[in-house]
């Protein structure tokens, strides 16, 4: 092997080692940036600390690993989803803790009107089939008390949804919610980002303008 060939091999080996080191660094950074509170029961102190960073309406917490830590944009929007079933907060938390499902949401609301937290507001949930939207939005899954049909939600869930939206807006400096019927509004729904879904179902979709109006009334009151 000539001296020139030896230099070429050394350069290739050097480049390979540098690339390997970069990949390892990125992997270690990704691991260390993930909080140690994921997919487990929390201490009372942890619950209090996490609740202080998020909505005080929260009654249940099980943090999902299916998220980006932290989100890459400011919170500007709220995106509404439905559970396509009458799930409990605990069952939804177990679902979002499954890494293979690769899905999550910021909050969930059950049919009794209780609020669960699954991805802290400072992180990006994997909810809306749109990275761009999820980096800007707090996403909320609402339980259905009717399977199929209009996918109705209970009055308690609906009232809590309005209260949670108003709370998210106040704490994140969103002056008002606008529902435009497309992704340009500050109140959006899942189907705007995925043509293959009807989420959040006809009932909630038909109430989006009403939700925005009531939230704005509370924000201005």
């Amino acid at each position: 092997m000539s001296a020139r060939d030896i230099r070429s091999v050394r350069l290739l080996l050097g480049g390979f080692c540098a690339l390997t080191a970069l990949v390892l660094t990125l992997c270690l950074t990704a691991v260390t940036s993930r909080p140690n509170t994921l997919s487990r029961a929390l201490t009372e102190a942890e619950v209090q600390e996490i609740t202080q960073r998020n909505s005080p309406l929260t009654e249940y917490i099980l943090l999902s690993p299916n998220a980006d830590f932290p989100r890459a944009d400011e919170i500007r929007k709220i995106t509404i989803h439905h559970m396509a079933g009458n799930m409990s907060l605990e069952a939804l938390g177990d679902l979002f803790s499954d890494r293979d499902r690769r899905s999550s949401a910021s909050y969930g609301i059950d049919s009794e009107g209780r609020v669960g937290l699954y991805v802290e507001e400072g992180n990006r949930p994997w909810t809306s089939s749109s990275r761009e939207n999820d980096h800007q939005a707090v996403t909320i899954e609402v339980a259905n008390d009717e399977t199929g049909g209009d996918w109705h939600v209970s009055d308690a869930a609906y009232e809590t949804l309005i209260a949670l939206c108003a709370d998210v807006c106040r704490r994140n400096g969103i002056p008002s919610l606008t529902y435009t019927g497309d992704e340009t509004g500050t109140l959006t729904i899942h189907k705007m980002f995925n043509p293959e879904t009807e989420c959040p179902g006809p009932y909630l979709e038909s109430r989006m303008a009403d939700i925005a109006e009531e939230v704005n009334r509370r924000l201005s009151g």
Side-chain angles (χ1 to χ4, degrees):
M1 182 179 292
S2 66
R4 181 176 180 180
D5 290 337
I6 292 173
R7 285 195 299 270
S8 297
V9 170
R10 286 176 175 172
L11 286 173
L12 286 172
L13 287 173
F16 176 76
C17 291
L19 180 61
T20 301
L22 176 61
V23 170
L24 287 173
T25 299
L26 291 173
C27 289
L28 288 171
T29 300
V31 169
T32 55
S33 67
R34 300 172 71 86
N36 65 356
T37 51
L38 304 179
S39 300
R40 67 169 174 85
L42 304 173
T43 67
E44 185 60 34
E46 288 171 333
V47 167
Q48 292 180 5
E49 179 183 351
I50 291 168
T51 302
Q52 287 176 355
R53 293 196 294 263
N54 298 278
S55 176
L57 300 176
T58 301
E59 298 183 53
Y60 173 80
I61 302 175
L62 183 61
L63 297 179
S64 172
N66 301 325
D68 289 349
F69 306 92
R71 68 168 68 236
D73 210 337
E74 294 182 0
I75 294 173
R76 301 185 180 93
K77 299 184 176 187
I78 294 174
T79 304
I80 306 301
H81 302 252
H82 74 153
M83 296 182 191
N86 197 4
M87 298 181 67
S88 68
L89 298 182
E90 293 78 9
L92 186 62
D94 290 340
L95 192 71
F96 288 154
S97 289
D98 183 353
R99 293 177 184 267
D100 292 335
R101 292 190 65 87
R102 299 186 62 79
S103 64
S104 63
S106 305
Y107 294 98
I109 301 173
D110 69 13
S111 288
E112 297 178 0
R114 297 168 62 238
V115 175
L117 173 68
Y118 306 103
V119 176
E120 292 198 60
E121 291 181 19
N123 302 320
R124 174 231 164 184
W126 298 348
T127 323
S128 306
S129 309
S130 167
R131 290 178 57 87
E132 181 181 4
N133 182 75
D134 285 347
H135 273 298
Q136 300 179 60
V138 167
T139 62
I140 305 172
E141 293 269 1
V142 187
N144 304 98
D145 64 358
E146 173 191 62
T147 301
D150 286 342
W151 293 102
H152 189 268
V153 306
S154 71
D155 291 345
Y158 182 79
E159 175 59 29
T160 296
L161 175 60
I162 292 173
L164 181 57
C165 287
D167 171 65
V168 168
C169 288
R170 287 192 191 98
R171 288 182 298 99
N172 289 283
I174 302 173
S176 64
L177 285 183
T178 55
Y179 183 70
T180 61
D182 61 25
E183 66 274 12
T184 62
T186 55
L187 180 63
T188 55
I189 57 177
H190 187 185
K191 67 181 291 186
M192 293 174 179
F193 308 100
N194 183 351
E196 296 182 1
T197 183
E198 291 300 313
C199 179
Y203 177 75
L204 279 177
E205 183 176 1
S206 71
R207 303 301 298 272
M208 285 298 111
D210 296 335
I211 291 170
E213 180 179 1
E214 178 58 21
V215 169
N216 293 338
R217 185 189 69 79
R218 297 187 186 192
L219 291 175
S220 63

